[in-house]
Amino acid sequence: MARVFTPKVVTANALLEGDAVWLTEDDTWTRNMREAELLTDEAHADLRLLEAQARADEIAGAYLADAKAGENGPEPTHFREEFRTRGPSNYAHGKQVELS
């Protein structure tokens, strides 16, 4: 039985800061997952991942993460990606403060 492709986003970590980043439709990296390009075609998703992996001078560890369409852009479907949208959990600054 063939597996069904589910929507994805390309994600990685910013090389210098280590923050989680997502690839946008216009080939920039954003720290806001809702600005990411939601990929609904498997071949296009694979191509975008290869393009991201070629940018090793900007990011590390690029991969395709499951996502779903939300009212304001892509949203995570797995707790790991939900966690990554909030940044490191061991510091009371950055994204954690902004969410308070």
Side-chain angles (χ1 to χ4, degrees):
M1 177 186 268
R3 76 180 158 79
V4 175
F5 180 79
T6 58
K8 312 272 189 238
V9 291
V10 175
T11 186
N13 289 90
L15 192 59
L16 296 179
E17 299 88 2
D19 291 349
V21 292
W22 290 268
L23 188 61
T24 67
E25 192 172 346
D26 64 355
D27 289 326
T28 61
W29 293 104
T30 180
R31 285 165 173 74
N32 183 347
M33 183 180 185
R34 293 174 184 233
E35 297 172 357
E37 177 182 15
L38 185 63
L39 303 161
T40 57
D41 177 78
E42 187 172 12
H44 186 65
D46 290 340
L47 176 63
R48 296 295 281 154
L49 177 60
L50 288 172
E51 292 171 348
Q53 290 171 333
R55 296 168 67 175
D57 59 331
E58 300 171 43
I59 53 92
Y63 65 94
L64 293 172
D66 290 330
K68 64 182 180 183
E71 288 184 25
N72 298 308
E75 296 177 355
T77 61
H78 190 275
F79 72 89
R80 178 175 191 249
E81 299 311 316
E82 178 67 33
F83 178 79
R84 291 182 77 238
T85 65
R86 293 189 297 260
S89 61
N90 58 343
Y91 298 108
H93 61 76
K95 293 179 185 178
Q96 293 84 0
V97 172
E98 293 169 12
L99 293 173
S100 300

